[in-house]
Amino acid sequence: MRTIQIKQILSQARVGDTVTAKGWIRTKRESKNATFLAINDGSTINNIQAVAEPGQFSEELMRVITTGACVAVTGVLVESAGSGQSVELKAQNIEVYGGADPDKYPLQPKKHSLEFLREIAHLRPRTNTFSAVLRLRHALAFAVHKYYNDNGFFYLNTPIITASDAEGAGEMFRVTTLDMNKPPRTDDGKIDYKEDFFGRETNLTVSGQLEGELAALALSKIYTFGPTFRAENSNTTRHLAEFWMIEPEMAFFELEDNMNLAEDFVKYVIKYALENCTDDLNFLDKRLAEDEKSKPQNERSIPLLEKLWFVVNNPFERLTYTEAIKILVASKPHKEKKFKYDVAWGIDLQSEHERYLVEKHFKKPVILTNYPREIKAFYMKQDDDGKTVRAMDVLFPGIGEIIGGSQREDNYDKLLARIHEVGIEPEALWWYLETRQFGSAPHAGFGLGFERLVLFVSGMTNIRDVIPFPRFPKSAEF
C-alpha cells in the first residue's frame, strides 16, 4: 500500500479511505474503551490520532508502543469524535519500527526548557517547537532562491576555504593539513605554510562578498547563499560560529537601489512564510504569547503575527547615521544615562542604540546609511565629504542589525589607498583590485544572516535555536 505523509492524509484523504500513517508517537493515552496514539512524521505540526480498541492487539505489542517509538499504523479514516481533529485512524494493523524505552527517552510529553533541548539536539526536531522552526527555515530558504531567481539573479557558489579576510577582522578558523605537533618551520622559527596543502595560510570564509563582486562584474546580478564562519568568542543570543549568509551583489546599483532591493527582498520572504507556513506560525505565535505572559505588561513584545504583517505592510524608515546620532543624543535614555554605551558621532552603534531607534523612536524597521568611514570596511564607497561611506544597515525590532551592505568602492585609486590605510597587503587582493582596472562599474550589495532572519520570523529568542546543530564556543557536539 502506498504510504503518504500525515500532512497529505489530513488534507487530502477522505473518510472511509484505508491509509498507512508512519511516524513517531508523540503521546499515548489509554482508557478502558480505547488506546489513543498521537502520531507525527514531521510533515506538519498536526498529529494524526490512531485509535486501537481494547484487546485488539497483543499486550506485548502495546507495551512497546510508547512515547518516542516509531510505528506504521494502517487503518480506516473515520470522523473524529474528539475536538482538535476532523478525522482519526481506526487501527487495523500496527508495526513497530523502533521502540523507545520510556525510562530513558528524554522527550516526555511535557514542556522542556530550550537549554535542555540544546543538550539533545539530535532529538529536539521531534518537538513541536523545533519541527515548526525547521519547516519555517526550509520555507524561508526556498523563498530566498525563488525571489532571486524570479528577479534575474544567478546563484553563485563562493569558496568555503579562502586565503582572504573580507571583513579584515582576523577572527577566522584556520584550515590546514600540517601536523600541529611537529609543524614545519621557517628559518626564523615561524610555521612554514608553504609546506601546507594549499602552499599558503588558508581559513574558513567569513563572507563570499569579495568573490561575489567578481561575478557581479560579469553577470550583473548574482547572489550567494552558503555557510560562513567566525572564530569570535561570543556567547550572546545573536552569535554563532557557523551560520549561513545570503549575499546579493549587483552591477550598476547604487546605494538607493541597494536599499530598495533589501527592503523588497526581506518583505517578500517574510510574506512567503506568512502565506505558506500558517500552521507553524500560528503555533509559534501562541507559544510566544504564552512566554510573554510572565513578563510585565510594559516589557511584552508585539504578537508575532502582528509584527510580521506590520513589517510586510509598512515602508521602512530611512535616515543617515548622522541623523540617527542626533536622535539618540536627544533621547531620554541618553539624557538619563540609561544607555550602557555612550553616544557620539563616530561610534559603532550598539544593539541598544539600534533597538531604541527601531522599537521606541520610529516603531518600525529602519535603514541607516552613510556611516563614518573609520568604522566600516575598506571596500565601501567613500562619500564626497571624505568622512562617510555609502553603507547601509537594516535594523529590525528585537534583532538590531539584520542586513549590512553598501555601495562598493569602484575607483581603483581610492580603493588602493583605503587598503593601505587599513593595513592590508595589496598583493593579497590583487585580483579584487584588478576588477577596478578592467571595466570598473558602480556596484552594490549586502549580506543577510539567514539565522537572524529565521530568529525574527519564528519569534525565538536565541539564535542557537533556529539552526539544527548550533556551533558556538566550546560546543561542537553533534
Side-chain angles (χ1 to χ4, degrees), residues 170-376:
E171 296 169 331
M172 305 176 75
F173 290 101
R174 182 172 291 117
V175 176
T176 182
T177 58
L178 296 177
D179 181 353
M180 288 293 102
N181 292 316
K182 295 171 60 178
R185 301 280 182 178
T186 60
D187 292 340
D188 58 1
K190 295 180 179 178
I191 294 177
D192 187 2
Y193 285 102
K194 289 182 180 179
E195 298 295 319
D196 208 346
F197 186 90
F198 293 106
R200 63 188 301 177
E201 191 171 356
T202 54
N203 307 281
L204 295 178
T205 185
V206 299
S207 170
Q209 177 204 315
L210 301 188
E211 294 88 350
E213 285 187 53
L214 311 183
L217 292 170
L219 301 175
S220 289
K221 294 196 296 185
I222 66 92
Y223 73 104
T224 77
F225 190 170
T228 52
F229 308 86
R230 303 283 171 92
E232 186 177 349
N233 191 16
S234 174
N235 278 292
T236 76
T237 58
R238 299 191 307 144
H239 290 92
L240 290 166
E242 176 186 283
F243 55 99
W244 289 69
M245 284 282 285
I246 301 149
E247 296 175 294
E249 292 289 333
M250 298 75 60
F252 317 117
F253 268 48
E254 299 191 12
L255 183 59
E256 187 75 19
D257 307 305
N258 209 25
M259 288 191 286
N260 292 341
L261 179 75
E263 181 170 346
D264 188 61
F265 162 60
V266 78
K267 285 182 174 181
Y268 174 91
V269 293
I270 293 173
K271 187 176 181 183
Y272 182 91
L274 283 163
E275 293 175 345
N276 291 276
C277 302
T278 305
D279 289 344
D280 289 322
L281 283 174
N282 282 335
F283 168 81
L284 292 168
D285 182 51
K286 291 175 183 175
R287 179 190 174 281
L288 181 62
E290 194 64 32
D291 288 347
E292 291 291 301
K293 286 181 181 178
S294 61
K295 297 180 181 179
Q297 188 71 37
N298 63 340
E299 293 182 14
R300 295 179 186 177
S301 60
I302 185 171
L304 179 60
L305 292 174
E306 183 181 336
K307 176 185 72 174
L308 297 179
W309 279 115
F310 181 83
V311 169
V312 168
N313 292 329
N314 288 279
F316 295 1
E317 190 70 30
R318 301 183 182 190
L319 68 158
T320 66
Y321 168 93
T322 300
E323 291 169 331
I325 290 294
K326 290 179 181 177
I327 291 170
L328 290 168
V329 168
S331 70
K332 187 175 180 182
H334 179 260
K335 291 180 177 178
E336 295 180 355
K337 301 188 183 302
K338 291 185 177 179
F339 283 139
K340 182 179 178 181
Y341 297 93
D342 197 17
V343 179
W345 198 96
I347 66 160
D348 197 355
L349 292 178
Q350 300 296 318
S351 179
E352 62 178 347
H353 305 139
E354 295 171 341
R355 292 186 62 177
Y356 173 82
L357 293 168
V358 172
E359 298 168 22
K360 303 297 183 183
H361 189 81
F362 292 109
K363 293 182 169 55
K364 63 167 71 171
V366 169
I367 304 180
L368 288 186
T369 64
N370 304 92
Y371 282 75
R373 66 196 293 270
E374 285 76 15
I375 63 172
K376 288 296 182 181

Side-chain angles (χ1 to χ4, degrees), residues 421-440:
E421 189 178 314
V422 299
I424 297 174
E425 291 293 332
E427 293 77 16
L429 291 175
W430 65 269
W431 42 271
Y432 187 72
L433 283 162
E434 277 199 358
T435 58
R436 273 64 172 179
Q437 292 178 302
F438 307 144
S440 186

Side-chain angles (χ1 to χ4, degrees), residues 120-134:
I120 54 169
H122 59 306
L123 295 174
R124 69 178 184 170
R126 298 189 193 181
T127 66
N128 280 337
T129 296
F130 284 95
S131 63
V133 168
L134 293 177

Side-chain angles (χ1 to χ4, degrees), residues 78-94:
V78 298
E79 290 186 8
S80 177
S83 60
Q85 67 269 332
S86 58
V87 294
E88 60 189 23
L89 192 58
K90 188 174 181 181
Q92 296 174 331
N93 184 69
I94 300 177

